[in-house]
Amino acid sequence: GHIVRNWKVRWFVLLQDKLLYYKIEGGKKEPHPKGRILLDGCTITCPCLEYENRPLLIKLKTKTDTDYFLECCSREERDSWALDITGAIHAGHPVQVQELHKMKNSFKLLENISLHHIVEKMCDNSTGIKLTRNLEQGNRYKETFTGSALVDWLISHSFAVSRFEAITLASMLMEENFIKPVGARSTEAMRYSDLSEQFLDDSTALYMFAENSKKNISPKEELQFNIAELSGTIVKQGFLVKQGHKRKNWKVRKFVLRADPAFLHYYDPTKEENRPVGGFSLRGCLVSALEDNGVPAGVKGNVQGNLFKIITKNDIHYYIQASSKAERTQWIEAIKPLT
């Protein structure tokens, strides 16, 4: 409400240029609208995190600077309303509406992704994610946040443009041990689900910062690299997704291809130090593309496609994903002459 700041149930009808709302009496909406929100010049914020105890809000600001806060019954309903309202706001611009629908379900790796930067923002006292006490099956957990709250926060701070992208990003935070599951709901998903389903976009799944997330994470083991292998001419570099050898999970890595001598090294983009976390000589290697219908048994988890494989002369298999078929072809063509 605008005068008395209370919350009331209203029946909403979305038209092409306005949003009408009706009073409910006796379970039915009244014949005439109680009010209207003109969508021309409106801006929409979703998710809106201005009310800590109301995570399902949409905020509309009209061109006369009037704020409307609308609360939905579920996240799915909220996101559906937000998409349709945004489409109505841009109804006179069909290209923008088309791009909006593409963006909703699209996923593209951010070239300048920094998980350290995201965690720093999450820990900010004023704009970071809110840590609360939560109760699950009789157990109390301090300084936790829910999976759906993290997804909302990532979207609202422009780290992701869709829930799918935010879930993928949250999964990376968990895989890199910046956050960890607590409580039965999220812990069981971590143990028994596929890698693509281990992070839960759920208001009952609890997570917290890992103890070492606010510190500089020390490497699990020191890898020794010969100075000579890092002195070659850089032929190509960029971000790819690599499958791990032990846990078989997928992680974003910055790859650097060098010639004279021919080596391929990969770096952890979450670490500021300019030191590879892995690498190998390309002499005697085999590199080939893997089509979507030919994914081998050694590949696990969430595979987006555009796969290629490198087999070293010591018969170590590396499975790597590019963001597009064109990028995969570029990498293969750059690697082959150096093998």
Side-chain angles (χ1 to χ4, degrees), residues 227-235 257-262:
I227 295 176
E229 70 184 64
L230 296 173
S231 64
T233 303
I234 294 178
V235 176
L257 178 62
R258 293 181 172 91
D260 300 322

Side-chain angles (χ1 to χ4, degrees), residues 70-292:
L70 315 177
E71 184 173 32
C72 301
C73 298
S74 68
R75 279 177 167 78
E76 292 75 19
E77 186 179 68
R78 179 198 65 186
D79 294 346
S80 177
W81 271 100
L83 187 69
D84 291 337
I85 292 171
T86 304
I89 291 172
H90 298 301
H93 307 279
V95 174
Q96 288 185 347
V97 178
Q98 188 178 15
E99 289 299 316
L100 177 76
H101 282 270
K102 283 183 182 178
M103 185 176 66
K104 181 187 177 187
N105 295 312
S106 67
F107 175 71
K108 184 178 181 181
L109 283 174
L110 301 174
E111 291 191 358
N112 58 346
I113 190 167
S114 169
L115 298 185
H116 270 296
H117 175 66
I118 293 173
V119 173
E120 284 178 5
K121 293 293 185 183
M122 287 175 65
C123 296
D124 188 277
N125 291 330
S126 57
T127 61
I129 192 164
K130 303 300 180 186
L131 303 180
T132 59
R133 292 185 180 182
N134 284 283
L135 182 67
E136 185 194 54
Q137 297 182 350
N139 296 318
R140 291 185 180 277
Y141 299 97
K142 297 180 180 180
E143 296 190 331
T144 59
F145 47 87
T146 67
S148 53
L150 177 54
V151 170
D152 285 348
W153 186 89
L154 289 170
I155 295 172
S156 68
H157 286 74
S158 302
F159 289 115
V161 297
S162 66
R163 300 197 79 77
F164 173 72
E165 187 170 334
I167 291 167
T168 305
L169 200 50
S171 299
M172 291 167 58
L173 290 169
M174 189 165 65
E175 288 173 8
E176 296 292 346
N177 201 32
F178 286 106
I179 64 173
K180 64 180 181 181
V182 289
R185 181 90 170 86
S186 56
T187 303
E188 286 180 6
M190 182 72 175
R191 289 175 180 171
Y192 303 116
S193 299
D194 292 336
L195 286 170
S196 60
E197 300 173 349
Q198 287 186 350
F199 180 85
L200 299 178
D201 178 12
D202 194 304
S203 59
T204 64
L206 302 180
Y207 299 88
M208 67 187 304
F209 289 111
E211 289 183 359
N212 60 354
S213 66
K214 299 179 184 178
K215 305 172 185 177
N216 291 323
I217 300 176
S218 59
K220 295 177 182 177
E221 56 186 44
E222 287 294 327
L223 297 173
Q224 299 299 323
F225 293 96
N226 191 317
I227 295 176
E229 70 184 64
L230 296 173
S231 64
T233 303
I234 294 178
V235 176
K236 185 175 177 60
Q237 58 184 320
F239 289 89
L240 298 167
V241 185
K242 173 188 165 294
Q243 180 178 262
H245 290 292
K246 295 180 181 179
R247 288 188 59 195
K248 304 297 182 184
N249 53 351
W250 294 91
K251 296 181 180 180
V252 177
R253 292 291 181 251
K254 180 182 178 181
F255 280 79
V256 177
L257 178 62
R258 293 181 172 91
D260 300 322
F263 275 84
L264 184 63
H265 294 99
Y266 48 93
Y267 299 74
D268 186 344
T270 68
K271 293 180 170 60
E272 296 179 0
E273 59 187 30
N274 190 27
R275 179 182 178 82
V277 294
F280 51 91
S281 170
L282 290 173
R283 296 301 179 195
C285 283
L286 297 174
V287 56
S288 60
L290 297 174
E291 298 306 326
D292 295 344

